[in-house]
Amino acid sequence: FFMSNTKVILISRPVGLLNPSNFKIVKDTISKPQKKGDVLIQSNYLSLDPESRGWVENSPSVLPPAKLGEVMRGLCVGTVVESLSDKYKPGDTVVGMFGWQGYLVLNEDDTHLTKVPDIPGVPPVAWLGPFGSAGLTAYFGLLKIGNPQPGQTVLVSGAAGAVGSIVGQIAKIKGCRVVGTAGTEEKCQKLIEKFGFDAAINYKTAKNLSDEIREACPNGVDVFFDLVGGHILDTALRRINDGARVVLCGALSQYGQYGNMHGPKKLLESHFQKSLHDRLCRLSVCIGI
């Protein structure tokens, strides 16, 4: 028994921005499970995470680089179609690093295969978001590194993304004033109306980003959760309070810059009336799990 399968293969490493020519779409067939413990999985949801940009580089990060000539790495939620395993049965929802493909066969002992519990009201796709790496990154990055306290101000860059939107919601639960930056009015509106942020700043249309951050954060910034880097990081560092915590979780604006990376540039400017060491309680890097 064979069935049609579609795969996306990484065939070259990008120079600068990713390009469709870095990938190749391949149509082939896949056989049903052949040996004890094997399961055939259909991928239903694929998470296109910022980490993907690092995976295609020829340098190790949290994980080794994705290999050329192989299916592009990616976290997926899928359904067991056929099974020769006692652990998994057809219809089970599973999550794992299945890659950019429609179907695959894994053994029950594969570390990339995890059964998703059936929780009422929680859709399977949530295991790629709040119950997945995005949720874990937001939770531990904010609570363990940022350590927000009731009444403090939390500023989140890239706030409309998977991690940033969760960071903001957790900060609100902790009793903080939460301000986010995003690149469109639609995203800013969503931050306030859907995710409960107190204020949102469109950094693309802001005449003076520093002034807008000052207005939205009248008591200064106690926790800055940065997912963007670049000039937003530069500007936000001018608004932090004494003892502030800065969580460096991403640098989306700098991916693919190669020798032309920006920020932080403002660390030694005279407006810092104390040294950076004195002003910052904690400056830490949060790596997505």
Side-chain angles (χ1 to χ4, degrees), residues 24 32 36 68 78 108 115 127 140 143-144 177 189 191 200 219 248 278:
K24 179 172 66 173
K32 68 178 182 179
K36 180 68 175 177
L68 295 179
E108 64 185 11
K115 185 176 179 179
W127 294 90
F140 288 104
L143 299 184
K144 301 300 182 181
R177 174 174 176 79
Q189 184 177 3
L191 289 177
N219 296 321
L248 301 179
D278 290 336

Side-chain angles (χ1 to χ4, degrees), residues 33-39 83-87 106-109:
Q34 299 293 313
K35 63 179 186 293
K36 180 68 175 177
D38 281 355
V39 292
S83 175
L84 296 179
S85 166
D86 295 330
K87 296 181 182 179
L106 289 177
N107 188 266
E108 64 185 11
D109 295 325

Side-chain angles (χ1 to χ4, degrees), residues 24-105:
K24 179 172 66 173
I25 298 176
V26 175
K27 301 277 189 179
D28 65 4
T29 58
I30 187 169
S31 64
K32 68 178 182 179
Q34 299 293 313
K35 63 179 186 293
K36 180 68 175 177
D38 281 355
V39 292
L40 173 64
I41 301 163
Q42 179 181 12
S43 292
N44 300 322
Y45 302 98
L46 167 66
S47 182
L48 293 177
D49 299 304
E51 296 97 319
S52 301
R53 186 63 183 82
W55 293 337
V56 299
E57 300 286 346
N58 192 27
S59 58
S61 55
V62 180
L63 294 174
K67 295 181 179 180
L68 295 179
E70 295 188 0
V71 174
M72 177 59 193
R73 181 184 295 150
L75 185 66
C76 302
V77 167
T79 303
V80 174
V81 178
E82 293 194 29
S83 175
L84 296 179
S85 166
D86 295 330
K87 296 181 182 179
Y88 300 92
K89 65 180 186 300
D92 282 348
T93 300
V94 290
V95 62
M97 203 67 76
F98 303 156
W100 295 13
Q101 57 187 332
Y103 295 87
L104 77 161
V105 173

Side-chain angles (χ1 to χ4, degrees), residues 119-255:
I119 302 176
V122 177
V125 71
W127 294 90
L128 298 180
F131 288 177
S133 61
L136 293 172
T137 301
Y139 181 90
F140 288 104
L142 179 64
L143 299 184
K144 301 300 182 181
I145 298 176
N147 190 28
Q149 300 299 311
Q152 292 188 334
T153 297
V154 176
L155 175 64
V156 186
S157 65
V163 174
S165 60
I166 298 173
V167 168
Q169 293 175 78
I170 296 174
K172 287 299 297 181
I173 292 172
K174 291 297 181 179
C176 299
R177 174 174 176 79
V178 182
V179 178
T181 67
T184 68
E185 291 302 319
E186 181 183 6
K187 290 179 180 179
C188 288
Q189 184 177 3
K190 181 180 289 187
L191 289 177
I192 296 172
E193 296 180 358
K194 183 174 181 179
F195 299 127
F197 282 57
D198 295 289
I201 301 168
N202 185 337
Y203 69 89
K204 290 185 178 179
T205 60
K207 294 181 179 179
N208 188 308
L209 182 59
S210 182
D211 287 346
E212 295 211 17
I213 292 177
R214 181 190 293 113
E215 182 179 347
C217 308
N219 296 321
V221 176
D222 300 294
V223 179
F224 177 42
F225 198 107
D226 184 34
L227 291 147
V228 173
H231 82 281
I232 293 180
L233 172 59
D234 276 348
T235 306
L237 289 174
R238 303 173 67 178
R239 304 270 69 90
I240 61 174
N241 292 327
D242 291 350
R245 286 79 69 199
V246 178
V247 185
L248 301 179
C249 188
L252 188 61
S253 69
Q254 304 303 295
Y255 296 162

